[in-house]
Each structure stands twice: as C-alpha cells, then as structure tokens.
Short mmCIF file of all heavy atoms in Angstrom, two decimals:
data_model
loop_
_atom_site.label_atom_id
_atom_site.label_comp_id
_atom_site.label_asym_id
_atom_site.label_seq_id
_atom_site.Cartn_x
_atom_site.Cartn_y
_atom_site.Cartn_z
N MET V 287 155.68 98.47 34.47
CA MET V 287 154.74 99.59 34.50
C MET V 287 154.35 100.00 33.09
O MET V 287 153.19 100.10 32.77
CB MET V 287 155.38 100.77 35.23
CG MET V 287 154.53 101.92 35.34
SD MET V 287 153.68 101.83 36.93
CE MET V 287 153.25 103.47 37.13
N GLN V 288 155.35 100.18 32.23
CA GLN V 288 155.10 100.57 30.85
C GLN V 288 154.36 99.41 30.12
O GLN V 288 153.48 99.69 29.31
CB GLN V 288 156.39 100.88 30.12
CG GLN V 288 156.25 101.37 28.70
CD GLN V 288 155.52 102.72 28.61
OE1 GLN V 288 155.50 103.47 29.57
NE2 GLN V 288 154.84 102.97 27.47
N ASP V 289 154.74 98.13 30.42
CA ASP V 289 154.10 97.00 29.80
C ASP V 289 152.63 96.97 30.13
O ASP V 289 151.78 96.67 29.25
CB ASP V 289 154.74 95.65 30.20
CG ASP V 289 156.14 95.53 29.62
OD1 ASP V 289 156.41 96.17 28.63
OD2 ASP V 289 156.93 94.77 30.23
N GLU V 290 152.26 97.24 31.31
CA GLU V 290 150.86 97.26 31.80
C GLU V 290 150.11 98.37 31.07
O GLU V 290 148.98 98.20 30.61
CB GLU V 290 150.80 97.45 33.25
CG GLU V 290 149.36 97.34 33.83
CD GLU V 290 149.32 97.49 35.33
OE1 GLU V 290 150.24 96.98 35.99
OE2 GLU V 290 148.38 98.09 35.79
N LYS V 291 150.70 99.52 30.92
CA LYS V 291 150.11 100.64 30.22
C LYS V 291 149.89 100.28 28.73
O LYS V 291 148.78 100.55 28.19
CB LYS V 291 150.95 101.90 30.33
CG LYS V 291 150.31 103.14 29.75
CD LYS V 291 151.18 104.34 29.96
CE LYS V 291 150.54 105.57 29.36
NZ LYS V 291 151.37 106.75 29.48
N ASP V 292 150.88 99.67 28.10
CA ASP V 292 150.73 99.24 26.72
C ASP V 292 149.63 98.21 26.54
O ASP V 292 148.84 98.29 25.59
CB ASP V 292 152.04 98.66 26.20
CG ASP V 292 153.14 99.71 26.02
OD1 ASP V 292 152.81 100.89 25.95
OD2 ASP V 292 154.32 99.33 25.95
N ARG V 293 149.52 97.28 27.46
CA ARG V 293 148.49 96.27 27.42
C ARG V 293 147.10 96.87 27.54
O ARG V 293 146.19 96.55 26.78
CB ARG V 293 148.68 95.26 28.54
CG ARG V 293 147.78 94.07 28.41
CD ARG V 293 147.98 92.98 29.47
NE ARG V 293 149.36 92.79 29.81
CZ ARG V 293 149.81 92.66 31.07
NH1 ARG V 293 148.96 92.71 32.10
NH2 ARG V 293 151.09 92.48 31.34
N GLN V 294 146.98 97.84 28.44
CA GLN V 294 145.69 98.52 28.58
C GLN V 294 145.33 99.29 27.34
O GLN V 294 144.15 99.31 26.90
CB GLN V 294 145.72 99.45 29.79
CG GLN V 294 145.69 98.74 31.09
CD GLN V 294 145.86 99.68 32.29
OE1 GLN V 294 146.15 100.84 32.13
NE2 GLN V 294 145.61 99.15 33.49
N GLU V 295 146.31 99.96 26.72
CA GLU V 295 146.02 100.70 25.51
C GLU V 295 145.62 99.76 24.37
O GLU V 295 144.69 100.10 23.59
CB GLU V 295 147.24 101.47 25.09
CG GLU V 295 147.54 102.69 26.00
CD GLU V 295 148.82 103.44 25.59
OE1 GLU V 295 149.45 103.07 24.60
OE2 GLU V 295 149.13 104.42 26.28
N ARG V 296 146.28 98.61 24.24
CA ARG V 296 145.91 97.65 23.23
C ARG V 296 144.48 97.10 23.46
O ARG V 296 143.74 96.98 22.51
CB ARG V 296 146.89 96.47 23.18
CG ARG V 296 148.11 96.77 22.29
CD ARG V 296 148.99 95.53 22.18
NE ARG V 296 150.05 95.70 23.20
CZ ARG V 296 150.40 94.76 24.04
NH1 ARG V 296 149.87 93.55 24.01
NH2 ARG V 296 151.32 94.99 24.96
N GLN V 297 144.16 96.83 24.70
CA GLN V 297 142.85 96.32 24.99
C GLN V 297 141.80 97.39 24.70
O GLN V 297 140.72 97.11 24.20
CB GLN V 297 142.74 95.90 26.47
CG GLN V 297 143.48 94.59 26.75
CD GLN V 297 143.46 94.21 28.22
OE1 GLN V 297 143.06 95.06 29.05
NE2 GLN V 297 143.91 93.00 28.53
N SER V 298 142.13 98.62 25.02
CA SER V 298 141.20 99.72 24.73
C SER V 298 141.02 99.89 23.24
O SER V 298 139.91 100.14 22.74
CB SER V 298 141.74 101.02 25.31
OG SER V 298 140.92 102.10 24.96
N ALA V 299 142.13 99.77 22.46
CA ALA V 299 142.05 99.87 21.00
C ALA V 299 141.19 98.73 20.41
O ALA V 299 140.41 98.93 19.51
CB ALA V 299 143.43 99.85 20.40
N ILE V 300 141.36 97.52 20.99
CA ILE V 300 140.58 96.37 20.47
C ILE V 300 139.10 96.57 20.79
O ILE V 300 138.25 96.35 19.96
CB ILE V 300 141.11 95.07 21.11
CG1 ILE V 300 142.49 94.72 20.53
CG2 ILE V 300 140.15 93.93 20.88
CD1 ILE V 300 143.20 93.58 21.26
N ALA V 301 138.83 97.06 22.01
CA ALA V 301 137.44 97.30 22.37
C ALA V 301 136.78 98.39 21.52
O ALA V 301 135.64 98.22 21.07
CB ALA V 301 137.36 97.74 23.84
N SER V 302 137.48 99.46 21.24
CA SER V 302 136.93 100.51 20.39
C SER V 302 136.78 100.03 18.96
O SER V 302 135.85 100.41 18.29
CB SER V 302 137.81 101.75 20.45
OG SER V 302 139.08 101.54 19.89
N SER V 303 137.71 99.15 18.51
CA SER V 303 137.59 98.61 17.17
C SER V 303 136.36 97.73 17.03
O SER V 303 135.61 97.79 16.05
CB SER V 303 138.85 97.81 16.83
OG SER V 303 138.71 97.20 15.60
N GLU V 304 136.11 96.91 18.09
CA GLU V 304 134.95 96.03 18.07
C GLU V 304 133.67 96.89 18.13
O GLU V 304 132.68 96.58 17.45
CB GLU V 304 134.99 95.05 19.24
CG GLU V 304 136.04 93.98 19.04
CD GLU V 304 136.22 93.11 20.25
OE1 GLU V 304 135.50 93.31 21.29
OE2 GLU V 304 137.06 92.20 20.23
N SER V 305 133.72 97.90 18.95
CA SER V 305 132.55 98.82 19.07
C SER V 305 132.26 99.48 17.72
O SER V 305 131.12 99.56 17.28
CB SER V 305 132.81 99.86 20.08
OG SER V 305 131.83 100.83 20.15
N ARG V 306 133.34 99.90 17.02
CA ARG V 306 133.18 100.53 15.73
C ARG V 306 132.58 99.52 14.71
O ARG V 306 131.70 99.87 13.91
CB ARG V 306 134.49 101.06 15.22
CG ARG V 306 134.50 101.71 13.88
CD ARG V 306 135.85 102.29 13.51
NE ARG V 306 135.79 103.06 12.29
CZ ARG V 306 136.04 102.55 11.09
NH1 ARG V 306 136.39 101.27 10.98
NH2 ARG V 306 135.96 103.32 10.04
N GLN V 307 133.09 98.30 14.75
CA GLN V 307 132.55 97.27 13.87
C GLN V 307 131.05 97.03 14.08
O GLN V 307 130.29 96.93 13.14
CB GLN V 307 133.32 95.97 14.06
CG GLN V 307 134.73 95.96 13.50
CD GLN V 307 134.76 96.13 12.02
OE1 GLN V 307 133.91 95.61 11.33
NE2 GLN V 307 135.75 96.88 11.52
N GLN V 308 130.67 97.01 15.36
CA GLN V 308 129.25 96.80 15.69
C GLN V 308 128.42 98.00 15.17
O GLN V 308 127.34 97.78 14.61
CB GLN V 308 129.07 96.69 17.23
CG GLN V 308 129.61 95.37 17.76
CD GLN V 308 128.91 94.16 17.20
OE1 GLN V 308 127.65 94.23 16.99
NE2 GLN V 308 129.61 93.12 16.99
N ARG V 309 128.91 99.22 15.33
CA ARG V 309 128.16 100.40 14.83
C ARG V 309 128.08 100.36 13.34
O ARG V 309 127.01 100.64 12.77
CB ARG V 309 128.86 101.69 15.29
CG ARG V 309 128.67 101.98 16.80
CD ARG V 309 129.25 103.32 17.17
NE ARG V 309 130.70 103.16 17.33
CZ ARG V 309 131.58 103.90 16.68
NH1 ARG V 309 131.23 104.84 15.85
NH2 ARG V 309 132.89 103.68 16.87
N LEU V 310 129.17 100.00 12.62
CA LEU V 310 129.12 99.90 11.20
C LEU V 310 128.17 98.83 10.74
O LEU V 310 127.40 99.04 9.75
CB LEU V 310 130.50 99.65 10.63
CG LEU V 310 131.46 100.81 10.74
CD1 LEU V 310 132.91 100.35 10.31
CD2 LEU V 310 131.01 101.97 9.97
N LYS V 311 128.16 97.69 11.38
CA LYS V 311 127.18 96.62 11.07
C LYS V 311 125.76 97.12 11.16
O LYS V 311 124.95 96.91 10.28
CB LYS V 311 127.35 95.38 12.00
CG LYS V 311 128.30 94.37 11.56
CD LYS V 311 128.18 93.21 12.51
CE LYS V 311 129.27 92.24 12.38
NZ LYS V 311 129.19 91.14 13.33
N LEU V 312 125.46 97.77 12.30
CA LEU V 312 124.10 98.26 12.52
C LEU V 312 123.72 99.32 11.44
O LEU V 312 122.64 99.30 10.90
CB LEU V 312 124.03 98.88 13.91
CG LEU V 312 122.65 99.35 14.34
CD1 LEU V 312 121.63 98.25 14.33
CD2 LEU V 312 122.75 100.00 15.70
N ALA V 313 124.65 100.23 11.14
CA ALA V 313 124.39 101.28 10.15
C ALA V 313 124.16 100.65 8.79
O ALA V 313 123.23 101.06 8.06
CB ALA V 313 125.54 102.26 10.07
N LEU V 314 124.91 99.64 8.43
CA LEU V 314 124.74 98.99 7.13
C LEU V 314 123.40 98.25 7.09
O LEU V 314 122.71 98.35 6.04
CB LEU V 314 125.90 97.95 6.92
CG LEU V 314 125.99 97.27 5.58
CD1 LEU V 314 126.08 98.29 4.45
CD2 LEU V 314 127.08 96.28 5.58
N ARG V 315 123.04 97.62 8.14
CA ARG V 315 121.76 96.91 8.15
C ARG V 315 120.61 97.88 8.02
O ARG V 315 119.66 97.66 7.27
CB ARG V 315 121.63 96.12 9.50
CG ARG V 315 120.47 95.19 9.55
CD ARG V 315 120.46 94.39 10.82
NE ARG V 315 121.65 93.51 10.85
CZ ARG V 315 122.49 93.48 11.90
NH1 ARG V 315 122.26 94.18 13.01
NH2 ARG V 315 123.53 92.68 11.94
N GLU V 316 120.66 98.99 8.76
CA GLU V 316 119.57 99.99 8.68
C GLU V 316 119.53 100.60 7.26
O GLU V 316 118.43 100.84 6.71
CB GLU V 316 119.79 101.10 9.72
CG GLU V 316 119.61 100.63 11.13
CD GLU V 316 118.22 100.10 11.42
OE1 GLU V 316 117.22 100.71 10.92
OE2 GLU V 316 118.10 99.05 12.14
N ASN V 317 120.65 100.82 6.69
CA ASN V 317 120.70 101.40 5.34
C ASN V 317 120.12 100.42 4.31
O ASN V 317 119.34 100.85 3.42
CB ASN V 317 122.19 101.67 4.96
CG ASN V 317 122.29 102.45 3.65
OD1 ASN V 317 121.37 103.05 3.16
ND2 ASN V 317 123.49 102.39 3.05
N LEU V 318 120.39 99.14 4.48
CA LEU V 318 119.81 98.16 3.55
C LEU V 318 118.32 98.08 3.72
O LEU V 318 117.59 98.02 2.74
CB LEU V 318 120.42 96.80 3.88
CG LEU V 318 119.98 95.63 3.03
CD1 LEU V 318 120.27 95.89 1.56
CD2 LEU V 318 120.59 94.35 3.49
N LYS V 319 117.82 98.13 4.95
CA LYS V 319 116.39 98.12 5.22
C LYS V 319 115.72 99.34 4.54
O LYS V 319 114.66 99.23 3.89
CB LYS V 319 116.06 98.15 6.69
CG LYS V 319 116.29 96.86 7.38
CD LYS V 319 116.00 96.98 8.88
CE LYS V 319 116.32 95.77 9.65
NZ LYS V 319 116.02 95.90 11.08
N ARG V 320 116.32 100.48 4.71
CA ARG V 320 115.76 101.74 4.12
C ARG V 320 115.70 101.62 2.60
O ARG V 320 114.74 101.99 1.98
CB ARG V 320 116.58 102.93 4.59
CG ARG V 320 115.98 104.24 4.18
CD ARG V 320 116.78 105.44 4.70
NE ARG V 320 118.08 105.49 4.16
CZ ARG V 320 119.22 105.32 4.82
NH1 ARG V 320 119.19 105.12 6.12
NH2 ARG V 320 120.40 105.35 4.24
N ARG V 321 116.80 101.14 2.00
CA ARG V 321 116.88 101.07 0.53
C ARG V 321 115.87 100.05 0.02
O ARG V 321 115.27 100.29 -1.03
CB ARG V 321 118.30 100.73 0.10
CG ARG V 321 119.23 101.87 0.40
CD ARG V 321 120.61 101.54 -0.02
NE ARG V 321 120.62 101.40 -1.51
CZ ARG V 321 121.72 101.48 -2.22
NH1 ARG V 321 122.88 101.73 -1.66
NH2 ARG V 321 121.67 101.31 -3.54
N LYS V 322 115.73 98.93 0.71
CA LYS V 322 114.74 97.94 0.29
C LYS V 322 113.31 98.54 0.35
O LYS V 322 112.50 98.32 -0.55
CB LYS V 322 114.77 96.73 1.17
CG LYS V 322 115.89 95.78 0.80
CD LYS V 322 115.80 94.53 1.64
CE LYS V 322 116.84 93.50 1.19
NZ LYS V 322 116.65 92.24 1.93
N SER V 323 113.03 99.30 1.42
CA SER V 323 111.73 99.87 1.57
C SER V 323 111.49 100.89 0.45
O SER V 323 110.40 100.95 -0.13
CB SER V 323 111.65 100.59 2.89
OG SER V 323 110.44 101.29 3.07
N GLN V 324 112.54 101.69 0.09
CA GLN V 324 112.38 102.66 -0.99
C GLN V 324 112.13 101.95 -2.30
O GLN V 324 111.34 102.38 -3.13
CB GLN V 324 113.61 103.53 -1.09
CG GLN V 324 113.77 104.50 0.05
CD GLN V 324 115.08 105.26 -0.04
OE1 GLN V 324 116.00 104.83 -0.75
NE2 GLN V 324 115.20 106.32 0.76
N ALA V 325 112.85 100.86 -2.56
CA ALA V 325 112.68 100.09 -3.81
C ALA V 325 111.25 99.51 -3.90
O ALA V 325 110.66 99.52 -4.94
CB ALA V 325 113.69 98.99 -3.86
N ARG V 326 110.71 99.03 -2.80
CA ARG V 326 109.36 98.48 -2.79
C ARG V 326 108.39 99.57 -3.07
O ARG V 326 107.41 99.33 -3.78
CB ARG V 326 109.05 97.85 -1.40
CG ARG V 326 109.59 96.46 -1.27
CD ARG V 326 109.07 95.85 0.03
NE ARG V 326 110.17 95.15 0.63
CZ ARG V 326 110.72 95.47 1.80
NH1 ARG V 326 110.27 96.49 2.50
NH2 ARG V 326 111.73 94.81 2.23
N GLY V 327 108.61 100.76 -2.56
CA GLY V 327 107.72 101.90 -2.78
C GLY V 327 107.73 102.29 -4.23
O GLY V 327 106.69 102.68 -4.79
N ARG V 328 108.87 102.25 -4.89
CA ARG V 328 108.96 102.59 -6.30
C ARG V 328 108.34 101.55 -7.20
O ARG V 328 107.78 101.89 -8.23
CB ARG V 328 110.44 102.78 -6.68
CG ARG V 328 111.03 104.00 -6.11
CD ARG V 328 112.46 104.20 -6.67
NE ARG V 328 113.16 105.09 -5.76
CZ ARG V 328 114.28 104.75 -5.14
NH1 ARG V 328 114.86 103.57 -5.28
NH2 ARG V 328 114.86 105.60 -4.34
N SER V 329 108.44 100.31 -6.82
CA SER V 329 107.91 99.25 -7.72
C SER V 329 106.46 98.92 -7.40
O SER V 329 105.90 98.04 -7.99
CB SER V 329 108.76 97.99 -7.56
OG SER V 329 108.61 97.43 -6.29
N GLY V 330 105.85 99.59 -6.42
CA GLY V 330 104.48 99.36 -6.06
C GLY V 330 103.54 99.84 -7.07
O GLY V 330 103.88 100.05 -8.25
N PRO V 331 102.28 100.07 -6.71
CA PRO V 331 101.26 100.54 -7.68
C PRO V 331 101.72 101.85 -8.30
O PRO V 331 102.64 102.48 -7.79
CB PRO V 331 99.98 100.74 -6.83
CG PRO V 331 100.33 100.25 -5.46
CD PRO V 331 101.73 99.88 -5.40
N ALA V 332 100.98 102.29 -9.31
CA ALA V 332 101.38 103.52 -10.02
C ALA V 332 101.63 104.65 -9.04
O ALA V 332 100.94 104.85 -8.07
CB ALA V 332 100.26 103.93 -10.96
N SER V 333 102.71 105.39 -9.36
CA SER V 333 103.07 106.50 -8.50
C SER V 333 102.05 107.64 -8.59
O SER V 333 101.24 107.66 -9.51
CB SER V 333 104.46 107.00 -8.86
OG SER V 333 104.43 107.66 -10.10
N SER V 334 102.10 108.57 -7.69
CA SER V 334 101.13 109.68 -7.69
C SER V 334 101.28 110.50 -8.96
O SER V 334 100.35 111.04 -9.50
CB SER V 334 101.25 110.52 -6.46
OG SER V 334 102.56 111.08 -6.39
N GLU V 335 102.51 110.65 -9.42
CA GLU V 335 102.73 111.44 -10.65
C GLU V 335 102.03 110.79 -11.82
O GLU V 335 101.40 111.47 -12.61
CB GLU V 335 104.25 111.58 -10.92
CG GLU V 335 104.98 112.41 -9.91
CD GLU V 335 106.49 112.46 -10.26
OE1 GLU V 335 106.85 112.09 -11.35
OE2 GLU V 335 107.24 112.82 -9.36
N THR V 336 102.15 109.50 -11.97
CA THR V 336 101.49 108.80 -13.03
C THR V 336 99.99 108.93 -12.95
O THR V 336 99.26 109.16 -13.93
CB THR V 336 101.92 107.33 -13.12
OG1 THR V 336 103.35 107.26 -13.15
CG2 THR V 336 101.34 106.61 -14.27
N ALA V 337 99.47 108.74 -11.71
CA ALA V 337 98.03 108.82 -11.49
C ALA V 337 97.50 110.21 -11.81
O ALA V 337 96.46 110.39 -12.47
CB ALA V 337 97.69 108.46 -10.04
N GLU V 338 98.28 111.27 -11.39
CA GLU V 338 97.83 112.63 -11.69
C GLU V 338 97.86 112.86 -13.23
O GLU V 338 97.00 113.53 -13.73
CB GLU V 338 98.77 113.59 -10.98
CG GLU V 338 98.54 113.65 -9.47
CD GLU V 338 99.54 114.54 -8.79
OE1 GLU V 338 100.32 115.26 -9.49
OE2 GLU V 338 99.56 114.54 -7.54
N GLY V 339 98.89 112.32 -13.89
CA GLY V 339 98.96 112.54 -15.34
C GLY V 339 97.77 111.92 -15.99
O GLY V 339 97.21 112.49 -16.95
N ARG V 340 97.34 110.74 -15.53
CA ARG V 340 96.13 110.13 -16.17
C ARG V 340 94.92 110.93 -15.90
O ARG V 340 94.06 111.05 -16.73
CB ARG V 340 95.99 108.72 -15.56
CG ARG V 340 97.05 107.77 -16.02
CD ARG V 340 96.88 106.39 -15.44
NE ARG V 340 97.98 105.57 -15.86
CZ ARG V 340 98.34 104.48 -15.21
NH1 ARG V 340 97.69 104.09 -14.11
NH2 ARG V 340 99.37 103.73 -15.63
N LEU V 341 94.77 111.48 -14.73
CA LEU V 341 93.63 112.27 -14.43
C LEU V 341 93.59 113.54 -15.34
O LEU V 341 92.54 113.92 -15.82
CB LEU V 341 93.60 112.71 -12.93
CG LEU V 341 93.34 111.60 -11.94
CD1 LEU V 341 93.47 112.13 -10.52
CD2 LEU V 341 91.96 110.99 -12.15
N ASP V 342 94.77 114.14 -15.50
CA ASP V 342 94.84 115.30 -16.36
C ASP V 342 94.48 114.98 -17.79
O ASP V 342 93.78 115.70 -18.49
CB ASP V 342 96.23 115.93 -16.34
CG ASP V 342 96.52 116.58 -14.98
OD1 ASP V 342 95.57 116.83 -14.22
OD2 ASP V 342 97.73 116.79 -14.66
N ASP V 343 94.94 113.83 -18.26
CA ASP V 343 94.67 113.37 -19.64
C ASP V 343 93.20 113.11 -19.84
O ASP V 343 92.63 113.43 -20.88
CB ASP V 343 95.44 112.11 -20.04
CG ASP V 343 96.95 112.36 -20.06
OD1 ASP V 343 97.34 113.53 -20.21
OD2 ASP V 343 97.71 111.41 -19.98
N ALA V 344 92.52 112.59 -18.80
CA ALA V 344 91.15 112.25 -18.92
C ALA V 344 90.28 113.51 -18.95
O ALA V 344 89.18 113.53 -19.54
CB ALA V 344 90.69 111.38 -17.77
N SER V 345 90.69 114.61 -18.32
CA SER V 345 89.87 115.82 -18.29
C SER V 345 90.00 116.65 -19.52
O SER V 345 89.14 117.52 -19.74
CB SER V 345 90.29 116.63 -17.06
OG SER V 345 91.58 117.13 -17.27
N ASP V 346 90.96 116.37 -20.37
CA ASP V 346 91.14 117.15 -21.63
C ASP V 346 91.25 118.60 -21.38
O ASP V 346 90.77 119.41 -22.20
CB ASP V 346 90.07 116.81 -22.63
CG ASP V 346 90.07 115.39 -23.11
OD1 ASP V 346 91.22 114.86 -23.18
OD2 ASP V 346 89.02 114.82 -23.42
N GLY V 347 91.84 119.01 -20.28
CA GLY V 347 92.10 120.42 -19.99
C GLY V 347 90.94 121.16 -19.42
O GLY V 347 91.02 122.38 -19.20
N GLU V 348 89.84 120.54 -19.17
CA GLU V 348 88.65 121.23 -18.54
C GLU V 348 88.86 121.32 -17.06
O GLU V 348 89.24 120.34 -16.41
CB GLU V 348 87.39 120.46 -18.85
CG GLU V 348 87.03 120.36 -20.34
CD GLU V 348 85.76 119.54 -20.55
OE1 GLU V 348 85.06 119.30 -19.56
OE2 GLU V 348 85.55 119.16 -21.70
N PRO V 349 88.65 122.48 -16.50
CA PRO V 349 88.79 122.60 -15.02
C PRO V 349 87.63 121.85 -14.33
O PRO V 349 86.55 121.68 -14.83
CB PRO V 349 88.69 124.12 -14.78
CG PRO V 349 88.06 124.69 -15.99
CD PRO V 349 88.32 123.71 -17.13
N ASP V 350 87.92 121.47 -13.10
CA ASP V 350 86.88 120.78 -12.31
C ASP V 350 85.86 121.84 -11.88
O ASP V 350 86.17 122.95 -11.61
CB ASP V 350 87.51 120.18 -11.01
CG ASP V 350 88.38 119.00 -11.33
OD1 ASP V 350 88.08 118.35 -12.39
OD2 ASP V 350 89.28 118.70 -10.52
N ARG V 351 84.62 121.37 -11.79
CA ARG V 351 83.56 122.33 -11.43
C ARG V 351 83.04 121.99 -10.09
O ARG V 351 82.99 120.98 -9.60
CB ARG V 351 82.41 122.26 -12.44
CG ARG V 351 82.89 122.76 -13.76
CD ARG V 351 81.79 122.78 -14.74
NE ARG V 351 82.33 123.16 -16.05
CZ ARG V 351 81.57 123.28 -17.13
NH1 ARG V 351 80.30 123.09 -17.04
NH2 ARG V 351 82.14 123.63 -18.21
#
C-alpha cells in the first residue's frame, strides 16, 4: 500500500517536473523572440528621437507657422 502511494507520488513529481521544464522552455523561447524583436527595432532606421532632433536643428528655433 505504501509502495503504491510512493510510486504515485514519484510519478506525479516527474510529471510536474516535465511540465515545469516545458513551461520554462516556452518562456525562454518567448523571451528570446521579444529580445530579438527589440534589438531589431533599435538597430533599424533612425529612431524618433534622432529624427526629431534633426527637425529641431533644421528649424533653428523658429516655431512652425
């Protein structure tokens, strides 16, 4: 009786461990995708801050009319 209970507990622990591993794999994969996307966004064309700075420099402080 006790042996059967121990076996079930071990199987449950193994199943939960495998489930945890799967969740961690998925989370790691999603994190990597998100970080790659962010890196692509940073290395893309000039950022909005740079573009705005250039527009400000070109106007020489004159307000738009």
